[in-house]
Amino acid sequence: MSGGRVPIRHRLVTRLLVTSVLIAVAAIAATAWLATRTATRAISQEQGRSLAENRSVYDLLIGYAASHPDWSGVQPLIEQRAAELDRRITLMTEDRAVIADTFPGPSLRTARPAAVVDPLNLDLGLTGGTDRIDRRAVGPFKVSPAVRAKLRAVADEQLACLRKMGNDGEIEEQPDGRFEIIVATPDPIGVASRCRIGTPEPATGSEGKALRSLGRLAARCVDLDEKTQRLEVLPDFTAYLIPLRDARPVPAEESRGYLDAVGAARVNSCVEKSRRTLLQPYVAPAVLLFITAPDTGVDQTTFTLSGENTIRIVTVTGAVLVATIIVTVLVGRRLVRPLQALTDAVDRQRPAPVSSSDEIGRLARALNDSVHRRDRAEAQRRAMVSDVAHELRTPLTNIRSWLEAAQDDLAPTDAQLLGLLHEEAVLLQHIIDDLTDLAAADAGTLRIHPEPTYVRDVLSQVVDSHRGRAQAADLDLTMRIDADPVLSVDAVRLRQIVGNLVSNAIRYTPPGGSVTVGAYDTTITVRDSGVGIAPEHLSKIFDRFWRADESRNRATGGSGLGLAITKHLVEAHGGTLTVRSTPGQGSLFTVRLPETVAGPGPT
């Protein structure tokens, strides 16, 4: 299995996190969109209704203020309206003194008013118009009953003319007692102008007197020279500056340009200001209007979900839930599918498919490696059992054969027979000792007892003990040591290590060859001029029971455990065992021990 960590973008937890975040974001976005749309619509509807209610109350009170000089009679009016709207309506002066209140409730001294009720200074945001003075505030500009009758007669004549010309309309009475004809259909040919519809009748009586007073006040505001100019105001409060020549008005066509030069905006502003002055005694003073909830006294917009909004919320929420479930199931199946494949592969004891590089891919590779190691271990176990049986069978068979021959008086029971039996028993003991060492190495219980040791002494003992076999095999066994190194090793185990390597070299070196044992620093070598090891066998020579001769003939080799035990013993010392070999030229085994040199050598 390849090492290293899985990149973050390929990790299973990253994919799960991204999927969860996407699902959560989609659900939150859909819910937020739905809540926003529903709340916005409901609030807009409620605000529209509340604004319409405020406008109706405001218009009602403006009408009352325009036709009454004070607020003394407003209580019944606002009580009726408050009952219809289920709201608390309160009127207060600008210094927050209560004028009228429909319900007792919390103090409104610090509350924000819904509007300022002043017929002479309208709230254009509530009226939606352009006039600052309410038309119902007429005061001294209201025509007398006699003039009203004449004006009605004129309006009837104009309507009759309009109908005679093929059009139609209706008469609408204005707050000041004048009449206005509303033309029913479009008038492309100017029928209304032919019937003098839209042309105000001259003011007379009290109305004329009030308009002249208005003109004089506006003239002072404009700062006109009354000897050369005169300001004339019509019943619709349109103002004209009329130049005077010898105390008489000049023709109209000559005065228009003069009016434009003076500035209509300034004149109209002064007319409006003067009109407020004249109307002030006839209208109620400005007051603060509060429209609040009856119980809390708070001006707030509340809303409840309608049936349509409820259905919309349920529908969208259900759709989001279904979409979330579908996405979760699809993603979950995609993530679980590799795990199911791994489970099936393990159940069927076959290699697992590796389809990704994330944690699941690493798990699949780990399982495949585990299966491979298991199969290899199983094959090694079977081979080991077979090899152990073979190695034990040969000496046991020999011992049994010789004993049976002695029992049957086919072989004499003499020193030669006892020697043969002893040799086979020693071989059995050697195999059992080797297996014991291997078992201890596998279990981690192979113990060594290091102590300062002269390497020369140990190697000399090994060479001396093998010199007889070397001479019998016609081999030259020599030793070459640089200086006299002292290492902290287990002397018994070191003799076993070097002895196994020398015995192996003697076994595979033909007569006339040589075996050399060397040492320098912390390195021990055993070189031979034997048959060598084929390159394809170098990786197997330290395996248990491995022999180049697969027939396992006793004449061509030992049990195949020596090199395996030697490698474990070297590693137990913290060292390494390597081999280099050239077929036909010999082999070189190198033992490298840790650079742990004891102090003074043994005495």
Side-chain angles (χ1 to χ4, degrees), residues 200-455:
E201 294 294 323
T204 59
S206 60
E207 181 189 20
K209 182 179 178 180
L211 290 174
R212 286 192 293 274
S213 298
L214 177 60
R216 287 193 295 271
L217 286 175
R220 295 191 190 98
C221 174
V222 179
D223 194 18
L224 296 180
D225 184 359
E226 295 183 0
K227 294 181 180 181
T228 60
Q229 300 171 340
R230 188 178 74 190
L231 185 63
E232 181 178 350
V233 182
L234 299 182
D236 61 355
F237 302 106
T238 302
Y240 291 95
L241 279 175
I242 300 178
L244 300 178
R245 186 180 301 162
D246 299 331
R248 291 186 178 185
V250 300
E253 61 271 9
E254 296 182 20
S255 66
R256 291 194 188 96
Y258 187 77
L259 177 62
D260 294 339
V262 172
R266 181 183 176 192
V267 172
N268 291 335
S269 175
C270 286
V271 169
E272 184 177 292
K273 180 179 180 182
S274 301
R275 185 180 169 196
R276 287 195 181 94
T277 302
L278 293 176
L279 290 174
Q280 193 69 47
Y282 298 92
V283 300
V287 295
L288 304 180
L289 170 63
F290 298 86
I291 304 175
T292 59
D295 50 352
T296 63
V298 178
D299 181 14
Q300 59 183 2
T301 299
T302 59
F303 69 94
T304 56
L305 292 177
S306 62
E308 180 183 355
N309 287 336
T310 302
I311 294 175
R312 185 180 295 108
I313 290 177
V314 172
T315 301
V316 175
T317 304
V320 171
L321 179 60
V322 171
T324 302
I325 293 175
I326 292 176
V327 172
T328 303
V329 170
L330 293 178
V331 174
R333 292 184 60 185
R334 181 178 178 83
L335 295 178
V336 171
R337 191 179 299 116
L339 298 177
Q340 292 176 339
L342 291 179
T343 303
D344 293 341
V346 172
D347 291 342
R348 299 178 182 180
Q349 296 184 353
R350 65 182 185 184
V354 181
S355 59
S356 62
S357 57
D358 56 8
E359 288 89 341
I360 296 179
R362 296 186 67 185
L363 176 60
R365 286 190 289 272
L367 287 175
N368 290 340
D369 291 343
S370 177
V371 170
H372 177 71
R373 287 194 298 270
R374 182 200 64 191
D375 294 343
R376 182 178 178 183
E378 180 64 18
Q380 290 177 345
R381 184 189 65 81
R382 294 175 180 175
M384 180 177 177
V385 171
S386 176
D387 293 339
V388 169
H390 179 82
E391 292 297 329
L392 295 178
R393 183 184 300 112
T394 301
L396 288 176
T397 300
N398 292 338
I399 292 174
R400 178 182 177 182
S401 298
W402 291 327
L403 290 176
E404 289 178 350
Q407 287 178 342
D408 296 339
D409 296 328
L410 298 178
T413 306
D414 52 9
Q416 182 181 3
L417 176 61
L418 294 178
L420 291 176
L421 293 176
H422 181 267
E423 181 181 350
E424 296 297 332
V426 169
L427 179 60
L428 283 175
Q429 183 64 44
H430 181 68
I431 294 175
I432 293 174
D433 291 341
D434 288 346
L435 291 176
T436 302
D437 289 340
L438 287 176
D442 290 339
T445 59
L446 183 61
R447 296 289 182 262
I448 62 173
H449 303 283
E451 58 183 0
T453 303
Y454 283 113
V455 176

Side-chain angles (χ1 to χ4, degrees), residues 549-569:
D549 181 12
E550 296 183 358
S551 65
R552 308 192 66 83
N553 190 338
R554 181 62 58 84
T556 61
S559 63
L561 295 175
L563 290 180
I565 294 174
T566 301
K567 184 175 179 64
H568 279 294
L569 292 175

Side-chain angles (χ1 to χ4, degrees), residues 4-41:
R5 300 180 62 185
V6 178
I8 294 179
R9 65 179 183 275
H10 291 154
R11 292 184 182 178
L12 181 61
V13 65
T14 303
R15 294 160 61 187
L16 291 174
L17 178 60
V18 170
T19 302
S20 301
V21 169
L22 291 177
I23 293 175
V25 167
I28 292 173
T31 304
W33 174 83
L34 173 63
T36 302
R37 289 291 302 273
T38 303
T40 301
R41 177 175 299 183

